[in-house]
Amino acid sequence: MYIKIKYCLIVLFAILAISSCKQNSQNENADAQYYPQTLDELSGKTVAVVIGGKQDINITEQYPEINLLRLETPAEVVEAVEKGKAYACVIDTAWTIGFDLLNRGIISYFRTDIVNGDVAVAFNKREIELCQQFNNFLVQIVSDGTFKEIEERWTNDTADRVKMPDIPVPTKGKPLRIGTSPTFPFNFIQNNEWSGLENEMMRRFAVYINRPIEYQNYNFGGLVAAIASNKVDLAASSIMITPERAKMVLFSNSYRKITTCCFGRKFIDEQSTVNHKPTFKERFNSNLIEEDRWRLLLDGFVETIIISFFAILFGTILGGLVCWFRMRNGIIPRGIAKVYITILQGVPILVFLMVMFYLVFASPNVSATWVAIIAFSMNFAAYACEIFRTGIESIDQGQYEAGYVLGFNRLKTFTLIILPQAIKRIIPVYKGQVVSIIKSTSVVGYIAIQDLTKASDLIRSRTFDAFFPLIIVSIIYFLISWGIGKLMDKMVEE
Amino acid sequence: MISVKHLNKTFIEKGTPFEVLRDVNCEIEKGEVISIIGPSGTGKSTFLRCINRLEEPTSGQILIDGEDILAKNADLPRLRRKMGMVFQNFNLFEHLTVLENVSIGPIKLLGMSKNEAQAQAMELLQTVGLASKAQFMPNELSGGQKQRVAIARCLSMNPDVILFDEPTSALDPTMVHEVLTVIRNLAEKGMTMLIVTHEMQFARNVSSRVFFMNDGIIYEEGHPDVIFEHPTKPATRAFINRLRNIDFDITSRDFDRIEILAQIQGHSERYIRDAELIQRGLRVITLMLTRVMPFDGPIHLRVDISERTENFYMEITQHNHTAPMYETISDELKSEFDKLLEKCDDLLEGNSRKLSIKVRQHLPE
């Protein structure tokens, strides 16, 4: 048995090692010895942008000839260029601070004014007073020089070694719910704490209004929706003021201007001067050991386990109930069950999760974890119920009759005679469904839950290493699934 | 003990009602062994299953020791405990061992301790000869063994009466005997039993009374000697002396010859012990269907088997033909046929010709 795992792991590593060696054999090679100067020259090329960002919107409108590769975070955008998945990228210059672009063989091709805009904090439309308070606060820190100090601290190349000053944020009172999408150097995890330019600003603001803060981690594209549906009070995450966004949220005064640049790879011969590739040990250190990053993974692991466990538990109970409805004689309960199954099986789990989060449980009183547990339970139930039904219906009618004539009532016949036989038959399929639901919980990051997958995203956004966190996380998922499978086999034996 | 009054049962099949039981009445006393015989599809099993309400009767009254089992508030589980049932398909609990099958009822329903129930189960298994299989799973047993375990399971609840629903129909002929022996032993101990069966010899030897069911009613009942030797009513007489027939309508040139022969063989083996006679019968059919009368119009083939005399009859009818069939056979074939056939009537009836054959029981020396 253990030999089998060993082999699995070896094969997994081998595949990943091979793919990591090949990651520089690009498909989008830079044209020899020529760097483009304008966006027009990028026609027909693949260009990476942050999804939903202003660059995305404007390029789509004005340069339809450019193939856009829309990615979730600036880290992924830079990575795409480095790995040759995109010819170039167009992003906010400030977002590239600390990426060590030169070392990764990337240079700035040209500056573009495709996006010129002001960055502000976005508030829920109801929080007019809070927004006013923030504007006052902004005036104060700009005038007394604090803002300049913050800006200088975080926008130089040593930003990732900067230590966040000690700001005693209040711990009592109604927390200020802040949505963010982690982006170095504005919002990122350092020593397992949120830090960065915007984070420092928000901490100081929290002190200013004497309220504690609570961070929620969204994808950039989901931030405005999260504010509008009152999942957070505000978002401070380099959001640029646009008329479309202004319809949904309330913007404060601007605290930063955006300058956009187009970045791309240097020529191959120049790349030879690029520094050495990090060794396995260095990567291991930077991704797991430094700043105790493994703690992120551990927390994510716990979150994944909690959501999976309760989703399977409640989903099984609910599935049993739906199955009971489904097998009743009445047309109405059967109809309800059928509709339930059809809808839940027909809607992608991610879409269903977001519907539950943004529409059904729009009230801020339900934690995202609970929304995830409810959504996954309901999804699991739809499959579990059909599994149960198949198992129960496969039992011969004669088994019921034998129970009845012995003197068992319907309930006892079912629990003592039918159920044990049905369970034995459904276990293999049920096990598959359990493993599948555990894996599908990896999408909960979309509703600001930091599960295992999201933890790897966070690490990636700091270390810019796609390879290492993803391997670790896939191995952990594999071990969870494998372990659960073994556990269930053991339970059946007993 | 069991009193059945005006029992009716109507199935609705594809929208059309089908009367299975029409006004069945009977009284069953303690200690009686009643065999229920009759042609298939006449409601024997349905009647049995109505008594413990596995089937819901359409109307009527069934009293168990004076209690109406059809009453709305009847305590069904308790009443069913008084009546064991043995099924055609055994229906052993597949997830339990033989021992657990025989002890689950007493433990869960009679409040017996596990040890006590298992001791009783071992005793019962001893009486059906299967104590050595106590730890086996049902799927490791032969059909006959399964049925004996099912009887032991039934006895474990200490019932007042046992209902047997064709207990040997699903068994290989070699295993029928072991099950019948167990039932016979129960009869000798004075157990009250209702047995739906096709085993005529057994019914005759073991029963105290025989119900002949025909067309949804108890058509005739009486002492086995009377029913089997001197039945008073015509349908009973026909059944007892009867020819067990099996019919085929051959409507296409590409009919499934193998399927037909296999069915006839299976059917014959149930009633005829003489394997050679069956082989002879099948040979005649094969020759008739292939050599004598190639398909040129629908053929009706009927094979009759007399259970009592163990005779093998055959009747072949072909419509829209005006020449006798037997005369068209070549001389060479005819001599072969004459050896196999005891009697052969070839006649024309209006537009169709008909060949009736009786297969010889013993080959001429």
Side-chain angles (χ1 to χ4, degrees):
Chain A
M1 184 168 76
Y2 290 100
I3 293 172
K4 249 198 277 175
I5 329 171
K6 224 164 82 185
Y7 279 128
C8 286
L9 290 182
I10 288 170
V11 170
L12 201 64
F13 268 116
I15 293 169
L16 290 164
I18 290 166
S19 62
S20 78
C21 289
K22 289 181 95 178
Q23 62 191 220
N24 273 332
S25 59
Q26 304 91 355
N27 36 13
E28 287 271 347
N29 264 311
D31 287 346
Q33 308 300 329
Y34 178 73
Y35 295 125
Q37 302 297 322
T38 63
L39 283 174
D40 290 316
E41 293 171 48
L42 297 178
S43 290
K45 305 254 199 259
T46 304
V47 172
V49 292
V50 176
I51 189 167
K54 193 64 187 163
Q55 293 89 353
D56 177 7
I57 296 161
N58 286 1
I59 294 177
T60 308
E61 256 175 35
Q62 297 171 30
Y63 298 92
E65 302 289 297
I66 296 176
N67 303 324
L68 285 182
L69 180 64
R70 298 179 176 88
L71 299 167
E72 293 287 349
T73 62
E76 283 171 29
V77 168
V78 170
E79 238 165 59
V81 175
E82 184 188 5
K83 305 262 160 74
K85 293 202 167 63
Y87 173 75
C89 65
V90 177
I91 59 170
D92 183 348
T93 320
W95 282 356
T96 63
I97 295 167
F99 276 50
D100 198 10
L101 291 182
L102 223 59
N103 235 345
R104 310 170 90 197
I106 296 173
I107 57 161
S108 165
Y109 283 172
F110 56 89
R111 215 180 127 162
T112 165
D113 50 10
I114 180 100
V115 176
N116 271 322
D118 299 313
V119 168
V121 176
F123 288 85
N124 184 290
K125 286 227 162 180
R126 273 175 288 184
E127 303 283 358
I128 300 166
E129 199 185 328
L130 193 66
C131 182
Q132 194 53 51
Q133 279 175 318
F134 181 79
N135 285 339
N136 295 343
F137 164 74
L138 200 59
V139 169
Q140 188 190 314
I141 58 171
V142 168
S143 62
D144 70 5
T146 316
F147 189 79
K148 203 164 171 55
E149 191 189 311
I150 299 175
E151 208 170 23
E152 276 170 6
R153 188 184 349 268
W154 297 105
T155 54
N156 64 58
D157 280 345
T158 59
D160 61 334
R161 287 184 291 278
V162 168
K163 219 176 128 28
M164 170 69 88
D166 198 22
I167 302 164
V169 177
T171 50
K172 287 204 177 103
K174 190 167 169 260
L176 196 58
R177 294 167 306 154
I178 303 171
T180 187
S181 169
T183 317
F184 190 82
F186 301 102
N187 290 290
F188 63 97
I189 302 273
Q190 189 182 40
N191 291 317
N192 299 313
E193 292 275 349
W194 284 101
S195 90
L197 189 152
E198 280 157 348
N199 181 262
E200 184 180 341
M201 184 173 74
M202 292 326 290
R203 280 178 193 234
R204 290 184 189 277
F205 179 55
V207 175
Y208 178 77
I209 59 168
N210 195 23
R211 279 172 73 176
I213 51 174
E214 178 190 294
Y215 260 68
Q216 290 186 24
N217 177 0
Y218 286 85
N219 297 320
F220 187 80
L223 274 174
V224 172
I227 303 167
S229 61
N230 196 23
K231 291 289 172 189
V232 292
D233 299 318
L234 62 93
S237 194
S238 301
I239 302 174
M240 211 179 76
I241 302 171
T242 65
E244 294 87 356
R245 287 177 184 155
K247 280 181 203 153
M248 306 294 292
V249 297
L250 182 65
F251 279 110
S252 70
N253 295 338
S254 168
Y255 57 88
R256 188 166 74 81
K257 272 206 175 312
I258 279 185
T259 52
T260 302
C261 268
C262 173
F263 295 89
R265 262 172 296 125
K266 285 191 281 187
F267 304 129
I268 308 294
D269 55 338
E270 285 176 49
Q271 272 186 10
S272 57
T273 62
V274 167
N275 281 4
H276 79 291
K277 276 181 101 178
T279 63
F280 183 83
K281 204 179 158 195
E282 280 168 351
R283 287 170 131 187
F284 185 83
N285 271 328
S286 79
N287 283 293
L288 292 179
I289 309 299
E290 268 173 34
E291 296 186 8
D292 282 348
R293 293 206 170 102
W294 56 272
R295 281 183 174 281
L296 287 174
L297 287 179
L298 185 67
D299 293 346
F301 173 79
V302 171
E303 192 74 33
T304 294
I305 292 287
I306 287 175
I307 293 173
S308 307
F309 176 79
F310 284 106
I312 291 162
L313 181 72
F314 297 148
T316 302
I317 296 169
L318 183 63
L321 198 71
V322 177
C323 175
W324 185 60
F325 264 62
R326 178 74 180 77
M327 293 182 74
R328 305 257 332 233
N329 285 327
I331 292 172
I332 295 168
R334 219 167 46 196
I336 293 172
K338 270 189 187 167
V339 168
Y340 177 89
I341 294 163
T342 314
I343 292 178
L344 268 290
Q345 288 193 349
V347 179
I349 179 66
L350 176 55
V351 176
F352 180 65
L353 184 69
M354 305 235 270
V355 167
M356 294 290 279
F357 186 69
Y358 287 116
L359 301 179
V360 180
F361 291 100
S363 146
N365 299 327
V366 186
S367 86
T369 303
W370 274 106
V371 175
I373 289 173
I374 292 168
F376 280 98
S377 303
M378 288 177 72
N379 180 268
F380 187 72
Y383 290 95
C385 113
E386 289 295 73
I387 293 174
F388 296 160
R389 188 168 68 95
T390 314
I392 292 167
E393 282 180 352
S394 75
I395 306 296
D396 187 60
Q397 191 61 28
Q399 296 285 318
Y400 289 89
E401 291 184 354
Y404 295 154
V405 300
L406 219 50
F408 288 114
N409 59 26
R410 293 171 75 93
L411 182 69
K412 276 197 170 161
T413 302
F414 185 75
T415 53
L416 289 175
I417 292 151
I418 306 304
L419 206 56
Q421 298 185 51
I423 286 176
K424 219 170 175 175
R425 292 187 196 186
I426 63 178
I427 275 297
V429 198
Y430 180 76
K431 202 169 87 180
Q433 195 57 42
V434 163
V435 168
S436 143
I437 201 85
I438 293 172
K439 287 183 295 183
S440 63
T441 59
S442 61
V443 300
V444 295
Y446 277 85
I447 60 167
I449 296 174
Q450 280 188 36
D451 73 323
L452 199 49
T453 307
K454 195 74 179 179
S456 87
D457 282 351
L458 274 177
I459 294 177
R460 272 195 304 150
S461 72
R462 277 289 276 126
T463 61
F464 314 116
D465 185 347
F467 174 73
F468 210 87
L470 286 179
I471 288 199
I472 299 285
V473 166
S474 22
I475 291 174
I476 296 176
Y477 273 114
F478 168 76
L479 290 178
I480 296 176
S481 307
W482 180 83
I484 295 271
K486 281 286 159 207
L487 198 73
M488 287 181 65
D489 284 346
K490 206 154 197 183
M491 274 161 59
V492 175
E493 270 170 36
E494 276 161 24
Chain B
M1 182 176 190
I2 298 176
S3 154
V4 179
K5 284 172 191 156
H6 308 296
L7 182 65
N8 285 287
K9 171 73 186 173
T10 306
F11 283 115
I12 308 283
E13 209 170 309
K14 287 177 194 156
T16 49
F18 175 63
E19 273 192 316
V20 189
L21 296 177
R22 300 179 302 168
D23 196 30
V24 175
N25 294 286
C26 69
E27 294 284 335
I28 293 146
E29 297 303 327
K30 195 163 170 51
E32 278 195 293
V33 176
I34 294 174
S35 291
I36 303 170
I37 61 170
S40 8
T42 51
K44 303 187 298 288
S45 284
T46 309
F47 169 56
L48 208 64
R49 290 162 61 84
C50 277
I51 292 178
N52 61 9
R53 232 175 122 181
L54 281 184
E55 299 286 354
E56 206 61 45
T58 315
S59 67
Q61 194 184 35
I62 299 172
L63 299 179
I64 313 293
D65 289 333
E67 267 185 88
D68 188 357
I69 195 170
L70 301 181
K72 265 219 161 79
N73 56 354
D75 183 354
L76 214 48
R78 187 176 52 81
L79 287 170
R80 277 176 178 160
R81 249 169 260 168
K82 295 183 174 187
M83 300 179 282
M85 187 170 205
V86 175
F87 299 89
Q88 181 175 354
N89 295 319
F90 332 125
N91 292 340
L92 292 183
F93 302 137
E94 298 291 334
H95 62 303
L96 300 177
T97 63
V98 166
L99 187 67
E100 287 165 337
N101 260 284
V102 185
S103 57
I104 183 172
I107 294 173
K108 300 284 180 189
L109 292 167
L110 303 180
M112 239 185 235
S113 76
K114 199 174 167 190
N115 284 339
E116 213 181 332
Q118 292 196 341
Q120 180 200 293
M122 282 311 287
E123 227 169 84
L124 289 170
L125 287 173
Q126 206 93 48
T127 64
V128 298
L130 288 171
S132 63
K133 308 277 185 198
Q135 296 308 329
F136 281 47
M137 296 307 283
N139 60 14
E140 296 171 300
L141 302 181
S142 73
Q145 291 170 333
K146 281 185 192 174
Q147 195 60 296
R148 285 188 280 155
V149 173
I151 294 171
R153 177 177 70 181
C154 181
L155 292 170
S156 75
M157 294 301 288
N158 202 11
D160 297 338
V161 53
I162 302 181
L163 313 174
F164 288 89
D165 186 5
E166 304 201 23
T168 57
S169 300
L171 296 178
D172 283 352
T174 50
M175 298 173 180
V176 170
H177 200 65
E178 63 189 65
V179 172
L180 294 184
T181 306
V182 169
I183 301 176
R184 200 172 277 130
N185 288 344
L186 285 176
E188 278 163 16
K189 284 184 196 156
M191 175 60 81
T192 315
M193 297 190 281
L194 266 82
I195 309 166
V196 172
T197 185
H198 290 290
E199 301 291 335
M200 293 304 146
Q201 213 53 43
F202 169 78
R204 186 170 175 179
N205 293 341
V206 81
S207 344
S208 57
R209 203 145 52 111
V210 174
F211 289 175
F212 172 69
M213 285 192 71
N214 193 21
D215 233 1
I217 54 168
I218 298 179
Y219 181 81
E220 186 169 356
E221 65 168 290
H223 191 272
D225 287 348
V226 176
I227 296 288
F228 284 103
E229 291 300 328
H230 313 290
T232 54
K233 295 190 174 177
T236 322
R237 230 177 351 244
F239 178 79
I240 295 298
N241 297 316
R242 152 192 81 150
L243 313 169
R244 306 264 175 186
N245 56 304
I246 180 165
D247 292 82
F248 300 95
D249 275 313
I250 299 168
T251 53
S252 143
R253 192 178 300 279
D254 306 318
F255 66 93
D256 189 344
R257 197 166 278 121
I258 298 194
E259 160 83 22
I260 288 180
L261 290 175
Q263 277 196 28
I264 294 171
Q265 180 166 11
H267 184 73
S268 331
E269 278 170 356
R270 282 174 69 167
Y271 306 109
I272 298 180
R273 262 167 294 219
D274 185 351
E276 230 190 284
L277 176 62
I278 296 171
Q279 284 313 315
R280 235 171 286 149
L282 291 173
R283 170 140 182 76
V284 175
I285 294 168
T286 314
L287 284 172
M288 288 307 295
L289 291 180
T290 51
R291 305 277 294 281
V292 182
M293 32 168 303
F295 182 89
D296 55 352
I299 298 169
H300 185 87
L301 172 68
R302 163 175 240 181
V303 178
D304 288 334
I305 287 147
S306 162
E307 195 172 323
R308 249 154 61 100
T309 54
E310 292 203 353
N311 279 327
F312 198 108
Y313 301 94
M314 210 164 55
E315 203 174 273
I316 300 173
T317 317
Q318 204 167 19
H319 295 290
N320 300 325
H321 288 277
T322 44
M325 223 179 292
Y326 196 56
E327 290 190 349
T328 61
I329 300 177
S330 68
D331 285 348
E332 173 202 351
L333 260 180
K334 208 162 192 165
S335 70
E336 188 179 344
F337 269 127
D338 283 340
K339 218 162 74 183
L340 294 169
L341 304 185
E342 186 169 302
K343 215 173 123 199
C344 178
D345 295 324
D346 189 3
L347 53 99
L348 290 169
E349 274 181 0
N351 237 0
S352 57
R353 59 193 192 186
K354 188 165 158 188
L355 187 67
S356 304
I357 293 167
K358 183 179 177 192
V359 179
R360 199 179 285 279
Q361 283 207 310
H362 303 285
L363 285 178
E365 294 297 319

